[in-house]
Amino acid sequence: MTQPTGRAPRSDARENRARILTAARAVLAGDPSAPLQSVARAAGVGQGTMYRHFPGREALLVAVHQEELNALTDKAVVLLATYEPLEALRLWFEHLIGHGRSGHGAAVAVEAAAHAGGGRDRPPAVAALDLLLKAGKGARQVRSDAEAEDVLLLGTCLLRAENRPAWRERRLRMLTVIIDGLRADPTRER
């Protein structure tokens, strides 16, 4: 929601936003693909009010799962403090896969963030991945043309893979392909 600089949202606007988020958690828990119209109806607000607060599905999903997404950002910082950037990136994706496979809503929000594209207010998952990629580029471990939004969109395939034991190995192979594709090639880089 956009407010004039320096002014806090009105109390009714704050209450509407809180009602929308509460309704969205309940509606989306029952049906992750539920239309925004269902969320607005459950919150007791009109679609205009819904779109004033959340201009699209992606923005709503990111807001609903903000806490889980913030944990992904925190994880990126911890991994970078412990591992080389490329290994930290691989471990972050493994953490993301584990989060997504365990039924956490962050997986849905991460996919939404991947589709949201760039902008001034980057979703936490994009910001976390950007942090990892910048560290990898600085260490000359990650190719210079890797962009967080692109890599996150590519990585969402890991979240959609079936949740069966046989797929664990397949997801890890897919992750290896992604990481190898991100690896800096000294003959390509300037």
Side-chain angles (χ1 to χ4, degrees):
M1 180 175 91
T2 305
Q3 290 290 323
T5 306
R7 291 185 59 189
R10 295 184 341 220
S11 63
D12 61 331
R14 286 191 310 270
E15 290 167 9
N16 282 341
R17 188 177 199 286
R19 275 202 326 268
I20 292 167
L21 285 172
T22 299
R25 285 183 187 100
V27 169
L28 296 173
D31 178 8
S33 64
L36 293 184
Q37 194 173 35
S38 300
V39 174
R41 193 175 3 210
V45 300
Q47 283 186 282
T49 299
M50 165 72 96
Y51 286 107
R52 256 191 312 282
H53 290 278
F54 304 102
R57 181 176 196 77
E58 292 83 10
L60 179 62
L61 289 170
V62 167
V64 165
H65 299 292
Q66 189 71 49
E67 190 174 303
E68 292 169 274
L69 291 171
N70 287 343
L72 288 172
T73 302
D74 296 343
K75 187 68 171 178
V77 172
V78 169
L79 290 169
L80 279 174
T82 310
Y83 299 95
E84 288 291 317
L86 199 59
E87 180 64 7
L89 179 62
R90 186 186 65 73
L91 291 169
W92 184 82
F93 266 112
E94 283 186 9
H95 179 75
L96 178 62
I97 294 166
H99 230 56
R101 300 286 31 116
S102 64
H104 288 77
V108 174
V110 166
E111 283 201 66
H115 293 286
R120 192 174 55 92
D121 297 325
R122 299 176 96 190
V126 175
L129 186 52
D130 193 46
L131 179 71
L132 291 161
L133 291 173
K134 282 182 179 174
K137 290 173 187 179
R140 296 183 178 264
Q141 295 177 355
V142 172
R143 54 189 294 157
S144 62
D145 62 346
E147 296 293 331
E149 289 85 357
D150 298 340
V151 174
L152 191 58
L153 187 57
L154 181 62
T156 60
C157 69
L158 302 168
L159 300 173
R160 288 188 297 249
E162 292 181 39
N163 196 16
R164 295 184 301 180
W167 278 77
R168 172 154 173 70
E169 281 185 40
R170 188 172 207 177
R171 274 193 297 278
L172 292 177
R173 282 194 314 271
M174 291 164 61
L175 177 57
T176 298
V177 169
I178 292 170
I179 296 299
D180 285 350
L182 290 170
R183 196 175 303 276
D185 178 356
T187 61
R188 257 194 334 228
E189 303 292 324
R190 289 184 177 191

